[in-house]
Structures are given as C-alpha cells and as structure tokens.
C-alpha cells in the first residue's frame, strides 16, 4: 500500500517567494507512526527540523526499542537553511577504555560465540543521548523538556506494540531472558508477548526526564550513570565512570561528490556508508545504465558494489585512529581504474581481490528518518543499537537497552562479523575508538530537487541507498526509491543477495552465465524513509518503505 502523501501544489506566486525561503510545509518520514507524530507535535509547537529530529529519535527509542535507542548511537546529517551549514553529527558509540583488540577471542584466537553480541560485555559507550543534547543545544529552538516530552509520554503511558515488535521479541526471548531487567520490560511475564501487548517503559521515562532536565549529565553522570555502571559491571561488562564522562559527540564534514549532475552528500567515517556509496557511484558514472538492458545494468552495479565494499574492508575505520585514504577512494580517477577492471561479459570472483568465505545474516535492526521543515532545514538520520534488541541487556533501574555495537569492530581481523563483513586492522578494537558503521543517511541535490533518504539493514544499507540514488537519477520520486526491489553484493561473501522478486529467472540465469552466484533472502529487507522537496514545483513529498510500519506525511 502506498504511504506517499504529496502536499497541495502552491500557486506560482507563492512558489517564487517560498522557494527562496523554504517549502512552507514540513515532511517527516519515519519508521513508526508514533515517531512521525512526535515530530509533527514538536514542529507545531514552533520547533524546527532539528527539534523534530530530537523528538523523532527519542520516540523511536521508545516505540521501536528493537531497532535503536538511547543505549545506542547514530549519525544525523543536517543542513541549516539560514546559513547552509551542512554537517554530520557523529553520535556513534565508543569502545570502553578497558577494551582490547582480542577481548572477544578465546585462548586459541577464535571468536567466543555471542561474546560481542549478547550481554553487557558487547556494549559500546552510547552516543545517542549526547547527540540529542548537542542537536537541541546548537541547532534547535525548543528546550529538551519540550522535544523529549512525546517520548517520555509514550514510555510512561505505554502503547500497543506493533507486529514487528511482537515478532522481534518472540525471536529474541531467550537472549532477553538472560537479562532480568530486559525480560521484565520487553517480554510478557517471561513469555513472548502476543498481539495487543502494551509496552510500558517507566524506568526509561525517568531516564529521559533526567536528560530533559540535566542534559548530558542526566545520562553520563549522576543517577543514570550509577545505574548503568553498576548494571554493566554486574553483567560482566567493563565500563568505567570515565568512559561515560568522556563521551563526546563529533561534528564531521560529510563526504560529498557528484553523480550525473547530482550532488551527493553522505555519511563520513566512522561510517563507511558515504565512502562506499560515492565510490560505487563514481565507478558507475562511466557506464550507461540503460532501462532496456536490466541485466547489463545489474551486472555493473554488482561489480561496482564488489569493489567499493572491498575497499571498505581494507581501509575504513575511525578516522581518529587510522589514516583513511579518503581523497583517493573518492577520486573519479581512482574509480576509472576500478571501472577498467570490470568486464561486461564476466563477473570478477571476489577471491581475485582477497580470499575468505563467510556467511551473513541481517535483522530488522537499526532505523532511519528524514525531515524537512517549512524553512528548508534538513535532517536525515540513521540510528542503531546494532542487532535486534542490541545486546538484549538492560542495566536494572535505567530502562536503557544497551547496544551490541562492539560487534561492528573487526572482532577478529580477517573474520566476518554478524553481517558477514570482514574487517581489517583499520577497524580493530581500541579503547575510545568508534566502530565502523554502514549507516548511510544521504542528501541528494540538483538545481530543482533536494532529497533525503536512508534505511536500516546492516551491511545492505549502502546498496539500498545506492539503488535509491540511481532511481532518483532516473527522475523518480520517494515512493519509487523506497519500494524498489533490492539486490546486494558486499564483496564477501561472493554472492548476490536479492529479496524475493527483485530478480526474475531470466536475470538470474543471465547473470549466472557471467559467473555471479545468488542467494534469495528469506524475506524483503530494508525500511527506507525518504522525503523530496521539488523546488521548481514547490512540492514536498515523502514516503515510507512499504516493507515496514512507518508513516510519511506532509503538513
Ligand atoms: N550497526 C550497524 C551499522 O552501524 O552499520
């Protein structure tokens, strides 16, 4: 079912005035109807897109706790209309100060099962609370008491959990039971909740109130910090006071480039998203992607992804710890060299780039939203706690579900993580370091159109955004980008994953003859949230992925 709503076209006269100032309306697309509603509530109180972003981020933490939360982190890509400032807020988690490169390995150097995935030992130091405080203080108009109010009300009064939550809780009940504080909140008397379950999060409401009142100190110091530290240490984790107190949000310059006249602005390291996206687009800019040759287009898109994801694994990590040759990776000349290695009649086996065979699985984790306000302020943000329900661990009394983002490090360099991504030393664990991400909040801009898009989906995030950008380049709108059927290659494992229906038999056979191997996913994947401002028509449109339960609205 379509989740697209388009604003009424405005008169030409109004268009001329407003086009210079902003669209005059606002659009929000988020992964949950209650989060979209929270964003509009704040806009209606005089807030701007940044205030709405605080409200939507916090509401998602409450209503979609399996996907993101204040125990996790994220990247917020912003543009302020008044001065054009474009920046990425990096609220990515950091490794605790006692973290060591081999902390998840046994005495034989093998990764210990689940150690980086379940329980307090798997959790990085959360960045989301600090990012919301920063966003509010430096970009918003309203106090946190107002912007966090919708999330606090949802946590305190509860809400009826949706189908996605019910399925996620059923699938993770064994892990949630390992943390009594998590089980009490997210299960129904120790059992998988049934449809109609009302999710109440009173402790989380109190923690959000402390953040609303005290800012960062409401989480990183005082009562909340004490509960988090006690709970984490009791649960076998290694956090220290200073890890919480020293957490800092970073403002980073996004990565940017051009693709067929489109300005592409995207997430900078420690996300790999923007670099992989731009490298793939640079490679593809030398090919004609013809609608009447879907097989040929898909072949070169897959080959571009293979090469860009290979560089992810080789070079990308936290720029505060490793030198990333970003200028080279984003250079059209470098892409030309990679393009020259693509044969139109044959797939390159990934083992020609490196050797290893790995498996991957992707869950319904992470979340995304996009907002444009009436002034033309933009926010597109991807937030995560990594796996579904993160580490499945709650520190008693805090209501905070902790991430298991430590698994996004190369836990054992050269070995795959839960997404099948193989990292190298650039993404090895070190104290205070940010783990490499795939989150890819992206702004696209031409003279006439501004688009915001992004999605959850682990390592498949970048290929989903890539397909969205290519569709934007064809002139299509948000409903098309979010609905497009998806396929993906990430260098290793050397297999094209595709959701049911994304490739027809003829395409699978034709691409197999070129040497590609295939794996159909068990179900559709992704949950893209996108908005478009068509400046020429002064029209806003927004769309929420039909695979999810989100709502996109223009008001
Ligand atoms: N935890 C998923 C990501 O950051 O890519």
């Amino acid at each position: 079912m379509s989740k697209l709503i388009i604003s009424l076209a405005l008169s030409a006269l109004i268009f001329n005035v407003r086009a210079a100032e902003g669209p005059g309306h606002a659009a929000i697309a988020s992964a949950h109807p209650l989060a979209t509603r929270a964003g509009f509530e704040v806009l209606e109180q005089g807030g701007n897109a940044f205030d709405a972003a605080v409200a939507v981020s916090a509401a998602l933490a409450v209503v979609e706790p399996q996907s993101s939360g204040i125990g996790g982190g994220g990247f917020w890509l912003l543009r302020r209309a008044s001065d054009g400032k474009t920046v990425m807020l990096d609220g990515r988690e950091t490794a605790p100060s006692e973290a060591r490169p081999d902390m998840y390995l046994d005495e034989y150097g093998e990764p210990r099962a689940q150690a980086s995935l379940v329980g307090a030992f798997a959790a990085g130091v959360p960045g989301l609370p600090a990012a919301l405080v920063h966003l509010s203080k430096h970009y918003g108009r309203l106090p946190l008491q107002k912007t966090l109010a919708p999330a606090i009300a949802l946590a305190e009064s509860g809400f009826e959990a949706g189908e996605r939550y019910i399925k996620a809780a059923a699938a993770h009940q064994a892990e949630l039971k390992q943390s009594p504080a998590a089980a009490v909140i997210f299960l129904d008397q120790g059992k998988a909740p049934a449809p109609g379950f009302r999710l109440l999060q009173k402790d989380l409401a109190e923690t959000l109130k402390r953040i609303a009142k005290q800012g960062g100190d409401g989480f990183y110091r005082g009562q909340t910090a004490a509960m988090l530290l006690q709970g984490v240490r009791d649960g076998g984790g290694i956090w220290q006071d200073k890890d919480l107190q020293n957490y800092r949000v970073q403002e980073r310059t996004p990565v940017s480039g051009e693709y067929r006249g489109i300005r592409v602005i995207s997430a900078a390291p420690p996300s790999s998203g923007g670099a992989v996206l731009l490298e793939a687009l640079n490679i593809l800019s030398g090919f004609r992607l013809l609608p009447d040759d879907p097989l040929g287009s898909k072949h070169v898109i897959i080959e571009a992804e293979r090469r860009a994801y290979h560089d992810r694994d080789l070079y990308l990590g936290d720029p505060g710890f490793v030198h990333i040759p970003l200028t080279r990776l984003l250079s059209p000349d470098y892409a030309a060299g990679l393009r020259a290695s693509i044969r139109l009649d044959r797939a390159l086996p990934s083992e020609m780039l490196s050797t290893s065979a790995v498996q991957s699985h992707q869950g319904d984790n992470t979340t995304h939203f996009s907002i444009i306000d009436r002034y033309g302020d933009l926010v597109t943000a991807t937030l995560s706690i990594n796996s579904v329900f993160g580490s499945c661990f709650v520190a008693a009394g805090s209501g905070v579900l902790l991430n298991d983002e430590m698994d996004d490090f190369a836990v054992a360099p050269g070995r795959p993580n839960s997404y099948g991504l193989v990292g190298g030393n650039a993404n090895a664990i070190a104290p205070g370091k940010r783990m490499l991400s795939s989150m890819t909040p992206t702004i696209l801009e031409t003279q006439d159109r501004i688009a915001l898009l992004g999605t959850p989906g682990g390592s498949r995030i970048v290929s989903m955004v890539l397909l969205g950008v290519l569709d934007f380049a064809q002139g299509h709108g948000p409903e098309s980008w979010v609905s497009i059927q998806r396929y993906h290659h990430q260098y290793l494992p050397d297999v094209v994953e595709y959701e049911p229906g994304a490739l027809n038999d003829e395409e699978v056979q034709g691409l197999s003859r070129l040497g590609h191997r295939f794996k159909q996913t068990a179900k559709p994947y992704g949950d893209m949230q996108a908005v478009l401002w068509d400046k020429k028509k002064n029209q806003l449109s927004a769309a929420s992925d039909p695979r999810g339960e989100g709502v996109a609205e223009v008001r």
Side-chain angles (χ1 to χ4, degrees), residues 92 312 365-366 384 386 405 408 419 436-439 458 461:
R92 184 68 162 163
R312 175 200 203 275
N365 47 340
T366 312
S384 186
N386 196 29
E405 217 74 67
D408 271 350
Y419 301 115
L436 188 61
S437 171
S438 298
M439 294 190 276
I461 290 175

Side-chain angles (χ1 to χ4, degrees), residues 25 34 48 74 93 96 111 138 161 172 179 201 204 230 259-260 266 351 355 376 398 416 440 462 481 503 507 521:
H25 292 264
L34 294 173
N48 58 17
E93 299 89 335
H138 296 280
H172 291 82
S179 165
Q201 298 172 83
L204 179 61
Q230 184 70 48
Y259 176 74
R260 298 185 201 275
S266 191
E351 65 184 18
T355 56
S398 70
T440 316
V462 193
W481 319 331
L503 302 175
E507 287 172 330
T521 60

Side-chain angles (χ1 to χ4, degrees), residues 259-260 279-290 293 296-305 307 335-345 470 474:
Y259 176 74
R260 298 185 201 275
E279 191 176 320
L281 287 169
N282 283 340
I283 296 170
L284 290 171
S285 66
F287 290 107
R288 294 182 68 201
L289 303 177
L290 298 170
D293 180 18
S297 299
K298 283 172 176 148
H299 170 64
V300 293
I301 291 168
I302 292 163
E303 289 301 309
E305 288 176 357
R307 286 154 178 79
L338 294 173
R339 192 184 310 124
S341 73
I342 296 179
R343 289 178 58 162
L344 297 181
D345 62 343
L470 297 175
Q474 302 278 333

Side-chain angles (χ1 to χ4, degrees), residues 1 3-5 27-37 40 368-370 527-531 542-545 548-555:
M1 192 183 73
K3 295 184 181 181
L4 174 77
I5 301 176
I28 302 179
S30 94
H32 199 285
L34 294 173
T36 299
R37 191 171 85 188
F40 276 112
H368 187 86
F369 66 85
S370 297
D527 195 8
M528 187 172 277
Q529 310 296 329
V531 304
S544 200
D545 201 310
E549 59 188 16
V551 164
E553 212 176 321
V554 176
R555 287 193 201 167

Side-chain angles (χ1 to χ4, degrees), residues 314-335:
L314 284 183
Y315 299 114
L316 298 184
D318 180 344
F321 285 72
V322 290
H323 169 71
I324 301 174
L326 208 51
T327 309
R328 172 159 70 88
L329 296 179
L330 300 186
S331 148
D333 292 338
Y334 177 67

